[in-house]
Amino acid sequence: MRTHVRILELMSLWQGALQKLQVFLVETKSQFITSKGLPLLIACKDLVAATRDRKLNTFIQVSVVHPAEHILTRYSSTEIVEGTRDPLFLTGVTFPPEYPIYEETKIKLTVYDVKDKSQDTVRIASLQIGEIDNLMSWVFFPRTSDGGKTVGTIEVNLVKMGELEDGETDHITTDTQDQKCALVRECTATEGISGKDNLPSLNAVLKNPICKLYRFPTSDNKWMRIREQMAETTLSFHVPKELINLHIKEDMRRNQELKDLGELAPHWDNMRRSVIAHCDQMLSMYQDTLAELGKHTGSSFKSSCSKGEKTLEFIPINLHLQRMHVHSPRLKDALYDVITVGAPAAHFQGFKNGGLRKLLSKFEAERRNTGYQCIYYSPENTAKAKEVLSNINHLQPLISSHADLLLNSASQHSPDSLKNSLKMLSEKTELFVHAFKDQLVRSALLALYTARPGCVLKKPAVPRNTAEEGDDLQHQDHPSQIKRQDSIPHHSEYDEEEWDRVWANVGKSLNCVIAMVDRLLEKDNISHIKEGENDPSAADCKMLHTGSDWYEQLYPLVITLKDCMGEVVTRAKQSMAFVLLQELACGLPQCLMLTLRRDIVFSQALAGLVCGFIIKLHTGLHDQGFLQQLHTVGLLVQYEGLLSTYSEEAGMLEDMAVGISDLQKVMFKVIEAKSEDFLPIITGRREHYIIEVQLPAKMFELLPQEIKEGKLLRMYPVLFNVGINEQQTLAERFGDTTLQENINQENLELLKEYYKLFTEKMPPDCLPHFQEQNDLKGLLENLHQNIQAKKRKNVEIMWLAATICRKLNGVRFTCCKSAKDRTSMSVTLEQCSILRDEHQLHKDFFIRALDCMRREGCRIENVLKNVKCRKYAFNMIQLMAFPKYYRPPEGTYGKADT
């Protein structure tokens, strides 16, 4: 049954204070009136001013009265059109499908003249929604409240989204002064993000969307429509909780491995006790944080005001998807996505001593000179030790399982199953053996031997040639040495070849199993040939007997393999745990605090990356070129930073640089969802994570075979930063900008490497048809020149990097301290620049479009969400230091929290 709405009042009201006007979003709690919503465009003609010589400066406000509340609620406003009696508003309003409109709901349109304090009210006849559904436009002739003369004409038009208006736009004034907005529609409908398909896998990660629509004239005087969208994501909390849970499991495993080192000499045992005590404290902190996050309810994002809260320090700041959908008359529809998020940084930890980039470098330098309390292992060696331990924990149960399957196949006398089981067992065992083919294990076993009780070292032998030993032994020292050496000394009672024998025994045991299986299968083939046409029942009896023989002959060999593997595991685990003991002992408690800080920053960065990957995957499912690029080359992820290199923000930038670089150790895998839970699954450890993204069956079938078979997808993160605020002015004149210069130069090289890989692996026609390889070469060279120029506040770097990212099908991020103010200026400028450069936005409307998006668009809603105020946190003095196009329109900034 069709629901009816009466527009009971249409009022013309002249009053002065523009600053009193506000736009209120109405929560959507009820069923929609129609499946498509109700978008309306409004125009006026022949409006009458209070005095004849008065020029009208008008806008229209839309208000709603809900039947149960009887309270007038402002819903939306148009832009201001100055100096005309016939304003054609680029504005409109839409009541989205979820908006609670009923038969008794009243909608009131109020016309304001913002220069005249006099006031008149006019009332017109009611109109039911049934008529609106059947008509495309209505013309009203409003009269004064006493029923007197008419004061003009108001025309309301119904808009169908996705359809363009006919006609030219020549009659629209290009005087942009005070014509602040070109907002066509605003809504909070989920259809704005998922689109017409209403994808459940996308709805699972995107929440509380806000949608704004604009119409702007093109250079050939046609209309184009722009849908601007913003949504928060459940991944803001889901990813950090998954990650912390993995940290807890990893740290518990490490603590147990330290305890399993066995008996140690007093010096080393005391060291172990101290390390475990500190690790237990840190583990407890992670557990408390996870428990607190488990209690969180409410919104799916962390506001900028909460960035310093300890319980939320793993959560990214103000993470949102920002999307622009362009529907233009002569060009193909296009989507442009940017992920906006506060710079990944440890705000609760603070920046008194800098950020991760400086702290890690300083810590490593100090650790090299720790004296004689522990053995120094390089970061590469400690990372290798963690990798070996991870391989052990992953491969040992797999090998054991495949060995059991082999015996099961033997007992069933199944030749095909036996072959398959042996193949899997051989592959996993070879990986297992290869994992220990490293000089680090050998040297760590010797170091552990010297740490056992009662071990007395004799005069050290001359260190071996590092070319023979490998680079792994460099920079390792033992506390019992008076002089520091570059390698672990020999011990006359330690047999170094013993490890080689133990390690080689696994391979020999596997070879025995393979030989036995081959022999059994060969005998089985011969017996089948001899049987010929013998009695089938006799053959069955023989098969049962042979199956028993197979099992009995393989069983002792499999047990030997498991025993050999167990001996290797015990020794390797202890030796690698001893390496980790040195890493921790050399830097307590700083190493644990740095690990915590790095975990916090990485957690924030990863949440954004997972969001960006999922969005990009959904938008590119029908783009075969992109999908081929995804599994052949990998995904480019470009971060735009707007942080200054002065004071605390320099520390934030140092954190951010490390956090983004750490994303290189993340790989993605796309799997078919087996339930309605589409949230991603995270596995791995600190040095290597795999994110499994779940898709419904129909969407999964669209993927190339390589991705469907589980191929891991690589990420290529790059960061370019240009400070734009007044603090950057101080850094440029009185401070230091080398941090920004070094980051930009380093990441330019990474971007070039990705482009080189892209050109080597992808066919030349894989880019969109309007882009050419020469475009990218020129852009990269231009970016190189701009970075080398070291020009102050060179925002051209940002634009070039973003353009290259889009042309290479990458994921775009924009970050400042809170992703609220500078980020809003940047993404709105980017959107309008794209409209100008790619979609022929009329040059006279560039500034008007920019002001409109900043005044009434999604980004001012983002400010409201964060600080409960519609003001960007700038003041006039600050803005004088900003580049021209990064300044918000007058009236939209002022004192506010950041």
Side-chain angles (χ1 to χ4, degrees), residues 39-41 90-92 94 136 157-166 182-185 212-218 222-228 324-329 331-334 835 839 841 853:
L40 303 173
L41 293 176
L90 301 183
T91 311
T94 286
M136 289 302 297
N157 293 280
L158 178 65
V159 179
K160 292 185 177 181
M161 296 312 300
E163 295 182 4
L164 293 171
E165 295 173 77
D166 296 327
L183 175 66
V184 172
R185 167 187 163 189
K212 307 276 184 173
L213 278 90
Y214 315 87
R215 64 170 176 178
F216 296 126
T218 61
K222 298 293 183 181
W223 288 109
M224 64 173 163
R225 293 222 177 91
I226 299 93
R227 184 198 304 265
E228 184 190 31
M324 181 175 70
H325 184 185
V326 184
H327 186 71
S328 50
L331 297 175
K332 185 179 179 181
D333 283 14
L835 294 178
H839 298 277
L841 173 67
M853 289 182 177

Side-chain angles (χ1 to χ4, degrees), residues 142-161:
R143 298 178 180 274
T144 56
S145 57
D146 59 1
K149 64 179 183 179
T150 61
V151 293
T153 302
I154 299 179
E155 181 178 334
V156 181
N157 293 280
L158 178 65
V159 179
K160 292 185 177 181
M161 296 312 300

Side-chain angles (χ1 to χ4, degrees), residues 185-433:
R185 167 187 163 189
E186 69 176 287
C187 67
T188 55
T190 55
E191 58 88 15
I193 295 296
S194 296
K196 62 184 180 181
D197 296 327
N198 195 29
L199 304 174
S201 54
L202 205 53
N203 289 337
V205 298
L206 295 176
K207 298 294 179 184
N208 299 328
I210 292 172
C211 177
K212 307 276 184 173
L213 278 90
Y214 315 87
R215 64 170 176 178
F216 296 126
T218 61
S219 56
D220 57 353
N221 294 323
K222 298 293 183 181
W223 288 109
M224 64 173 163
R225 293 222 177 91
I226 299 93
R227 184 198 304 265
E228 184 190 31
Q229 300 158 293
M230 182 181 72
E232 61 195 53
T233 171
T234 57
L235 299 173
S236 289
F237 282 83
H238 173 74
V239 170
K241 286 194 290 187
E242 291 287 298
L243 209 52
I244 295 171
N245 192 44
L246 287 177
H247 293 332
I248 290 171
K249 292 178 180 178
E250 181 180 349
D251 292 349
M252 289 178 69
R253 215 166 29 239
R254 177 201 59 200
N255 291 1
Q256 187 60 48
E257 287 161 355
L258 292 175
K259 294 173 183 176
D260 291 342
L261 270 174
E263 193 175 0
L264 297 174
H267 166 77
W268 300 105
D269 192 50
N270 291 336
M271 179 187 292
R272 173 171 59 177
R273 291 175 186 272
S274 176
V275 167
I276 291 176
H278 280 88
C279 289
D280 283 342
Q281 290 179 1
M282 195 61 64
L283 181 62
S284 178
M285 189 281 296
Y286 281 90
Q287 291 170 332
D288 291 344
T289 300
L290 184 60
E292 288 298 316
L293 291 179
K295 300 175 185 176
H296 177 82
T297 57
S299 65
S300 302
F301 88 111
K302 169 182 162 184
S303 74
S304 62
C305 295
S306 302
K307 60 179 169 284
E309 290 186 18
K310 178 172 176 53
T311 56
L312 297 177
E313 58 186 344
F314 284 84
I315 310 301
I317 302 166
N318 194 18
L319 174 60
H320 284 81
L321 164 67
Q322 176 83 16
R323 168 171 287 182
M324 181 175 70
H325 184 185
V326 184
H327 186 71
S328 50
R330 291 187 174 88
L331 297 175
K332 185 179 179 181
D333 283 14
L335 274 180
Y336 301 92
D337 289 340
V338 179
I339 306 298
T340 61
V341 62
H347 290 273
F348 179 79
Q349 308 283 325
F351 308 96
K352 183 179 180 180
N353 299 311
L356 278 171
R357 190 176 168 107
K358 179 188 293 183
L359 292 171
L360 288 170
S361 177
K362 181 180 178 182
F363 173 74
E364 189 57 35
E366 291 176 348
R367 202 163 72 89
R368 288 175 178 269
N369 302 299
T370 51
Y372 310 108
Q373 295 302 308
C374 57
I375 303 171
Y376 173 77
Y377 287 93
S378 68
E380 293 77 18
N381 278 337
T382 55
K384 181 64 180 178
K386 294 172 183 175
E387 181 184 350
V388 170
L389 285 169
S390 176
N391 287 334
I392 292 172
N393 294 325
H394 173 67
L395 291 173
Q396 185 184 16
L398 282 179
I399 294 172
S400 180
S401 174
H402 288 308
D404 292 339
L405 288 174
L406 182 73
L407 291 176
N408 186 53
S409 300
S411 66
Q412 295 177 1
H413 195 268
S414 172
D416 290 339
S417 178
L418 194 68
K419 291 177 184 177
N420 292 333
S421 298
L422 180 64
K423 181 176 180 292
M424 296 300 296
L425 178 64
S426 299
E427 290 176 356
K428 299 304 179 185
T429 305
E430 286 172 8
L431 289 174
F432 179 84
V433 172

Side-chain angles (χ1 to χ4, degrees), residues 637-685:
V637 186
Q638 185 255 325
Y639 290 80
E640 172 183 317
L642 299 165
L643 295 171
S644 72
T645 55
Y646 186 80
S647 188
E648 285 195 344
E649 287 201 6
M652 296 176 202
L653 181 56
E654 289 172 348
D655 273 356
M656 182 182 182
V658 173
I660 290 172
S661 177
D662 282 348
L663 294 176
Q664 295 178 73
K665 59 192 179 186
V666 176
M667 303 187 84
F668 282 79
K669 182 179 179 181
V670 185
I671 62 174
E672 184 178 347
K674 302 301 182 183
S675 69
E676 295 301 312
D677 181 6
F678 296 103
L679 290 174
I681 302 166
I682 306 178
T683 58
R685 54 187 174 83

Side-chain angles (χ1 to χ4, degrees), residues 1-5 31-35 101-104 128-130 133:
M1 176 180 179
R2 177 174 294 174
T3 305
H4 297 281
V5 176
Q31 186 178 0
F32 284 133
I33 183 171
T34 68
S35 61
I101 293 182
Y102 304 100
E103 183 176 355
E104 300 302 321
Q128 291 191 343
I129 199 68
D133 283 342

Side-chain angles (χ1 to χ4, degrees), residues 459-496:
K459 184 177 180 179
V462 177
R464 293 186 179 182
N465 187 315
T466 55
E468 297 175 2
E469 287 277 319
D471 295 334
D472 297 299
L473 292 183
Q474 294 183 10
H475 308 301
Q476 295 175 352
D477 305 279
H478 195 273
S480 61
Q481 296 172 246
I482 295 175
K483 296 178 67 176
R484 294 173 67 85
Q485 292 186 192
D486 290 333
S487 65
I488 297 294
H490 291 291
H491 187 271
S492 59
E493 299 177 4
Y494 180 73
D495 182 5
E496 289 191 75

Side-chain angles (χ1 to χ4, degrees), residues 385-647:
K386 294 172 183 175
E387 181 184 350
V388 170
L389 285 169
S390 176
N391 287 334
I392 292 172
N393 294 325
H394 173 67
L395 291 173
Q396 185 184 16
L398 282 179
I399 294 172
S400 180
S401 174
H402 288 308
D404 292 339
L405 288 174
L406 182 73
L407 291 176
N408 186 53
S409 300
S411 66
Q412 295 177 1
H413 195 268
S414 172
D416 290 339
S417 178
L418 194 68
K419 291 177 184 177
N420 292 333
S421 298
L422 180 64
K423 181 176 180 292
M424 296 300 296
L425 178 64
S426 299
E427 290 176 356
K428 299 304 179 185
T429 305
E430 286 172 8
L431 289 174
F432 179 84
V433 172
H434 182 74
F436 304 114
K437 193 176 183 179
D438 196 291
Q439 186 61 37
L440 177 63
V441 179
R442 183 197 301 268
S443 64
L445 280 168
L446 173 56
L448 177 59
Y449 179 84
T450 63
R452 297 298 186 193
C455 175
V456 178
L457 282 177
K458 298 182 180 180
K459 184 177 180 179
V462 177
R464 293 186 179 182
N465 187 315
T466 55
E468 297 175 2
E469 287 277 319
D471 295 334
D472 297 299
L473 292 183
Q474 294 183 10
H475 308 301
Q476 295 175 352
D477 305 279
H478 195 273
S480 61
Q481 296 172 246
I482 295 175
K483 296 178 67 176
R484 294 173 67 85
Q485 292 186 192
D486 290 333
S487 65
I488 297 294
H490 291 291
H491 187 271
S492 59
E493 299 177 4
Y494 180 73
D495 182 5
E496 289 191 75
E497 294 182 0
E498 182 184 3
W499 165 249
D500 292 333
R501 291 192 294 270
V502 171
W503 170 66
N505 282 342
V506 176
K508 292 178 181 178
S509 300
L510 176 64
N511 289 336
C512 291
V513 172
I514 294 172
M516 178 57 72
V517 170
D518 289 343
R519 194 178 307 124
L520 293 174
L521 291 175
E522 184 180 357
K523 288 183 178 179
D524 185 66
N525 288 335
I526 294 173
S527 64
H528 275 86
I529 293 172
K530 289 183 177 180
E531 282 174 13
E533 301 297 328
N534 291 347
D535 181 22
S537 60
D540 291 341
C541 293
K542 185 172 183 180
M543 184 176 294
L544 289 173
H545 178 70
T546 307
S548 177
D549 289 343
W550 281 16
Y551 181 87
E552 291 174 358
Q553 293 182 66
L554 276 176
Y555 179 77
L557 299 179
V558 170
I559 293 300
T560 301
L561 174 62
K562 287 185 175 182
D563 290 343
C564 291
M565 185 175 64
E567 189 173 358
V568 168
V569 165
T570 299
R571 295 182 184 227
K573 266 192 171 183
Q574 289 185 343
S575 66
M576 295 299 95
F578 190 73
V579 172
L580 299 187
L581 175 63
Q582 309 310 309
E583 178 199 32
L584 294 166
C586 285
L588 283 177
Q590 293 91 336
C591 62
L592 291 177
M593 294 307 297
L594 279 176
T595 299
L596 171 63
R597 187 182 192 105
R598 201 166 186 171
D599 287 346
I600 290 168
V601 174
F602 179 74
S603 172
Q604 296 177 26
L606 182 63
L609 175 64
V610 175
C611 177
F613 179 88
I614 291 175
I615 299 300
K616 187 67 179 178
L617 181 63
H618 278 78
T619 58
L621 273 176
H622 298 279
D623 184 344
Q624 294 304 311
F626 164 72
L627 294 174
Q628 181 184 356
Q629 177 185 349
L630 185 60
H631 72 77
T632 305
V633 186
L635 184 64
L636 178 65
V637 186
Q638 185 255 325
Y639 290 80
E640 172 183 317
L642 299 165
L643 295 171
S644 72
T645 55
Y646 186 80
S647 188

